[in-house]
């Protein structure tokens, strides 16, 4: 659950990520976390099972996974993605 965010802060403090880029990485991770929570709430209000994704839920989850992947890539490599890719 929410324990992921303090762990991300610790990981950022020991990573090679440029200090000026750390807030951006943190915001990407927080946005991805919020999107996953929104998918869960949406599924609940629609009366769907956890893995029974509708179109909107699926698109939101795909966006969250993409954001989380970019944030994780920056956290691991400490750099920006190659030119021409999503930032």
């Amino acid at each position: 659950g929410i324990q992921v965010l303090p762990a991300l802060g610790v990981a950022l403090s020991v990573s090679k990520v440029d200090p000026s880029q750390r807030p951006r990485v943190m915001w990407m991770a927080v946005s991805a976390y919020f999107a996953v929570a929104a998918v869960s709430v949406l599924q609940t209000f629609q009366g769907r099972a956890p893995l029974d994704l509708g179109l909107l839920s699926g698109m939101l989850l795909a966006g969250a996974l993409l954001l989380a992947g970019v944030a994780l890539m920056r956290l691991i490599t400490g750099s920006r993605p190659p030119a021409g890719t999503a930032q």
Side-chain angles (χ1 to χ4, degrees), residues 1-8 30 33:
I2 198 75
Q3 298 88 351
V4 170
L5 300 179
L8 177 63
V30 167
Y33 186 84

Side-chain angles (χ1 to χ4, degrees), residues 35 39 42-43 53-66:
V39 167
L42 184 63
Q43 301 261 136
L53 296 175
L55 179 63
L56 181 60
S57 298
M59 289 174 33
L60 194 58
L61 185 59
L65 292 176
L66 180 67

Side-chain angles (χ1 to χ4, degrees), residues 4 16 18 24 26 39-40 48 68 75 87:
V4 170
K16 299 182 291 182
D18 182 39
R24 181 177 292 177
M26 183 63 100
V39 167
S40 178
R48 293 178 178 258
L75 185 64
Q87 289 193 30

Side-chain angles (χ1 to χ4, degrees), residues 6 9 12 16 24 27 29 33-34 36-37 47 50-51 53 60-61 65-67 69-70 72 74 78 80-81 83:
L12 274 172
K16 299 182 291 182
R24 181 177 292 177
W27 276 110
Y33 186 84
F34 178 75
V36 169
L51 297 178
L53 296 175
L60 194 58
L61 185 59
L65 292 176
L66 180 67
L67 260 177
V70 171
L72 184 62
R74 286 191 184 179
R80 294 177 156 257

